[in-house]
Amino acid sequence: MSKEATVLFDIPGPRARARNAMLTAGMSVVFAAVFAALVWRLYDKGQFEAKLWTPFTEWTVWRHLLLPGLLNTLKAAALATVLALVFGAVFGLARLSDHWWIRVPAGAVVEFFRGIPLLILIFLAFFVPNKISPEIAESPLGQAQRMSVDYFFFIFGVESNAGVVTVPAFAAVVFGLTMYNGSVLAEVVRAGVLSIPKGQSEAAYSVGLRKNGVMRLVLLPQAVTVMMPAIVSQIVVLLKDTALGFIIAYGEFLQAGFKTVPANYHNNVLQAGIVVAIIYIAINMSLSRVATWLERRSRRSRKTSGKTLEAGGPPPVAGVGFTQQPASLD
């Protein structure tokens, strides 16, 4: 425990520090004993045999199974992150609009996609277009469907053959991740902007800025720092949620490492889970470090831009610093 006083705790005295040290030592011994018992149990069951760990030291396993799965996970997560951030920024700011015809539909879209489980979104994105596209192709909207696939959705691998739209697993996973996490980020953006003190916007309006200028130059730069921890947490969630692509047989990292490898190498599920977990933790910690660096940099840049004149200070104002003689009564 810290030796400094906080809002909830006073400075611990000698007895309290001794008691805290004893409790810490006791819990450490208990934890070490439980960990040792677990390791011994695993050893007794043969979970440390070399044949169970050897697959993860072979380049063939990494080249044909683990690395392709990891690449698929990173591709889906990277594209979904960019689209979710754009979606969240647009709809989060739309929910702050003064016009009800923008604010209400944006709120309905956000609440709709935020309320549907991600697994269902991925499932619907993969199966529904194939079922309803033939009917749409025969309707007046058929031309719009064909043009949307040929000129936009083709970049995600979506294809249209004789009016039947086929959505690949990659596009379905990216769609579900974008809609769900983008809706959550929209709420993060809205809350972040609303957390800025009202005096900031009032001061900006007083110097003649319009609403878009106030939002772009004053509120958003300050809100980004406030939102950064929540944004990073949601990106980490997005990365882990790529594993839900298993429902449509998307070959992501967890599918390859936790199911395919054990099925071909002595059913080493525990070993595969440990390796996959370590790699996921390393990726997520890297994301957190990058976000921390960006947050510190943004704080430092704002402090630097807010400095006044260094040496002589601000220029003197007329009448300030002089003793004014009282006016004559004559």
Side-chain angles (χ1 to χ4, degrees), residues 88-89 92-93 96 184-194 220 223 227:
L93 297 179
L96 296 172
V184 176
L185 289 174
E187 288 298 289
V188 172
V189 170
R190 185 175 71 91
V193 173
L194 293 178
L220 278 180
M227 297 184 296

Side-chain angles (χ1 to χ4, degrees), residues 48 85 155 218 225:
F48 292 104
L85 289 173
I155 62 179
V218 178
T225 303

Side-chain angles (χ1 to χ4, degrees), residues 57-305:
T57 63
E58 298 178 0
W59 171 242
T60 303
V61 175
W62 285 92
R63 180 181 178 183
H64 296 288
L65 294 176
L66 296 179
L67 290 182
L70 180 60
L71 181 61
N72 288 337
T73 292
L74 295 179
K75 287 194 302 184
L79 182 57
T81 297
V82 174
L83 296 178
L85 289 173
V86 174
F87 182 95
V90 171
F91 281 85
L93 297 179
R95 297 202 66 180
L96 296 172
S97 175
D98 294 333
H99 306 289
W100 68 268
W101 49 272
I102 297 178
R103 184 176 64 254
V104 174
V109 170
V110 169
E111 294 300 330
F112 176 78
F113 285 106
R114 196 161 63 110
I116 298 181
L118 175 57
L119 200 62
I120 295 179
L121 285 177
I122 296 175
F123 184 86
L124 294 178
F126 186 71
F127 290 103
V128 169
N130 185 268
K131 301 296 183 182
I132 66 174
S133 56
E135 286 74 12
I136 296 178
E138 298 176 358
S139 69
L141 298 177
Q143 183 69 10
Q145 174 180 275
R146 184 184 64 82
M147 293 181 63
S148 63
V149 172
D150 293 342
Y151 295 101
F152 178 72
F153 291 109
F154 78 94
I155 62 179
F156 300 105
V158 180
E159 299 178 350
S160 179
N161 186 12
V164 179
V165 176
T166 303
V167 179
F170 172 77
V173 171
V174 170
F175 173 82
L177 293 173
T178 300
M179 294 296 103
Y180 179 78
N181 293 280
S183 299
V184 176
L185 289 174
E187 288 298 289
V188 172
V189 170
R190 185 175 71 91
V193 173
L194 293 178
S195 68
I196 305 302
K198 191 176 180 181
Q200 297 287 325
S201 57
E202 291 176 348
Y205 284 123
S206 68
V207 298
L209 290 178
R210 296 185 178 182
K211 184 173 182 179
N212 60 348
V214 173
M215 184 66 69
R216 179 171 51 89
L217 301 175
V218 178
L219 298 182
L220 278 180
Q222 299 181 69
V224 166
T225 303
V226 177
M227 297 184 296
M228 188 63 70
I231 291 176
V232 174
S233 298
Q234 197 60 38
I235 292 176
V236 170
V237 171
L238 185 152
L239 176 65
K240 294 186 293 185
D241 283 346
T242 55
L244 295 177
F246 79 92
I247 193 175
I248 54 175
Y250 180 63
E252 43 77 39
F253 183 56
L254 188 62
Q255 176 81 9
F258 195 64
K259 293 186 177 181
T260 306
V261 172
N264 293 277
Y265 293 93
H266 311 290
N267 196 29
N268 56 347
V269 177
L270 176 64
Q271 293 73 18
I274 293 175
V275 172
V276 170
I278 291 174
I279 295 176
Y280 267 113
I281 291 172
I283 296 174
N284 292 332
M285 289 183 64
S286 300
L287 286 174
S288 300
R289 290 294 181 89
V290 171
T292 302
W293 176 77
L294 290 175
E295 183 179 359
R296 290 177 179 175
R297 184 176 180 181
S298 63
R299 291 181 183 274
R300 186 165 57 249
S301 62
R302 286 204 305 274
K303 290 180 180 179
T304 303
S305 61

